Amino acid sequence: GAVVSQHPSWVICKSGTSVKIECRSLDFQATTMFWYRQFPKQSLMLMATSNEGSKATYEQGVEKDKFLINHASLTLSTLTVTSAHPEDSSFYICSASLNSQNGYTFGSGTRLTVV
Amino acid sequence: GENVEQHPSTLSVQEGDSAVIKCTYSDSASNYFPWYKQELGKGPQLIIDIRSNVGEKKDQRIAVTLNKTAKHFSLHITETQPEDSAVYFCAASMNDYKLSFGAGTTVTVRA
C-alpha cells in the first residue's frame, strides 16, 4: 500500500531558529501533498496544499513566509518553520494522495518543541 | 467551506460492546468520507472510507453508513477490544481534494 514517511519524528529547537520537516511518498508519486498542524487534544487543521512544481496554496490565517513549503519532486515535500517561536510548538503531519481511488495516506507526524 | 461535526467527543465502552460515532457535514457536494484512527503521538491511520455512491461499507468489525439526504455518516465498531482505544476522526472532502476533519472522539474500551 501507499506509504508516507515523515522526518524527523520529533525536534527541539531554540526560538528564532528554523526547522525543516520532510515528507516522502515511498512507493508512489504524489502530485499533491498536504500539511496539517495539530495542537494537543484537538483536530487536524490544514495549513497548506503542496503542489509539485508550483507554489503551495495556504489556508487562511497561515503565514506563507513563516511556513515555507517546497515540493520539488513527486516524492518529496518539505515544510520549513522559519524563526520559530514557542507558540509554533505543535504536532505537524503531512499526507499524500496517489489518486482519487486511493484516498489519503498520512505520515507519522513531527513533534516540534520550540524553547 | 465544508463543516464537519462529530459526536460524541468521548466514548467509553465495555470490551465486547459496540461503539458508534456520528458525523454530519454541511456541503452536499462532498462525496468522500474517510474515518481515521489516531494513537498517541502518531499520525492518523485510515480504517475505512465510503464514497457517496454507496450507503454502507463493512470491513470485519468496522462498518460505515452514509445518509446523503440527511448529510450524516457513522462509524460502527462491533466486539470492541482494548486495542480499539484511540482517537477517531471523521472527515469529508469533495472530489478527493482537501479533507475537512471532525473534532475527534476519544474511545476508551474498558477491559
Side-chain angles (χ1 to χ4, degrees):
Chain A
V3 178
V4 174
S5 175
Q6 189 173 338
H7 292 281
S9 56
W10 61 270
V11 58
I12 301 173
C13 71
K14 292 184 178 180
S15 289
T17 62
S18 296
V19 173
K20 180 184 285 188
I21 302 170
E22 292 188 349
C23 181
R24 295 182 184 271
S25 55
L26 295 187
D27 51 359
F28 67 102
Q29 294 181 325
T31 55
T32 302
M33 291 184 175
F34 302 89
W35 287 96
Y36 294 84
R37 181 166 51 185
Q38 185 179 33
F39 291 107
K41 299 189 176 183
Q42 293 190 20
S43 189
L44 285 77
M45 297 301 297
L46 180 66
M47 299 176 66
T49 302
S50 172
N51 303 296
E52 187 270 335
S54 64
K55 292 182 179 180
T57 304
Y58 289 82
E59 295 299 300
Q60 191 172 9
V62 178
E63 300 175 57
K64 63 180 181 180
D65 295 329
K66 180 171 184 61
F67 299 100
L68 300 179
I69 291 172
N70 184 282
H71 194 157
S73 77
L74 286 170
T75 59
L76 174 64
S77 175
T78 60
L79 168 68
T80 301
V81 182
T82 63
S83 187
H85 292 286
E87 55 265 33
D88 298 324
S89 298
S90 189
F91 194 52
Y92 292 86
I93 313 170
C94 68
S95 75
S97 177
L98 170 58
N99 56 45
S100 62
Q101 299 304 312
N102 290 272
Y104 303 81
T105 301
F106 283 81
S108 55
T110 298
R111 172 71 60 195
L112 170 63
T113 302
V114 184
V115 297
Chain B
E2 176 65 274
N3 181 45
V4 178
E5 294 191 357
Q6 182 172 346
H7 299 281
S9 57
T10 61
L11 180 60
S12 179
V13 296
Q14 189 68 38
E15 181 177 0
D17 288 350
S18 296
V20 180
I21 304 170
K22 298 182 179 182
C23 288
T24 61
Y25 61 99
S26 61
D27 191 343
S28 57
S30 290
N31 56 12
Y32 176 62
F33 308 93
W35 286 88
Y36 292 91
K37 175 183 181 182
Q38 186 178 30
E39 297 178 339
L40 194 62
K42 297 184 179 180
Q45 278 193 305
L46 178 70
I47 55 172
I48 196 166
D49 58 7
I50 192 167
R51 297 186 183 272
S52 59
N53 58 346
V54 176
E56 184 174 357
K57 185 176 178 181
K58 190 174 181 180
D59 182 4
Q60 299 182 2
R61 297 187 296 108
I62 295 173
V64 56
T65 58
L66 171 65
N67 183 326
K68 285 173 54 180
T69 303
K71 290 187 276 189
H72 289 174
F73 58 113
S74 300
L75 176 71
H76 303 253
I77 306 174
T78 59
E79 301 173 25
T80 53
Q81 301 167 3
E83 52 264 38
D84 294 329
S85 296
V87 180
Y88 291 80
F89 291 98
C90 63
S93 78
M94 180 179 65
N95 295 330
D96 289 81
Y97 194 49
K98 54 186 180 180
L99 290 169
S100 294
F101 282 86
T105 298
T106 301
V107 174
T108 303
V109 180
R110 308 185 306 272

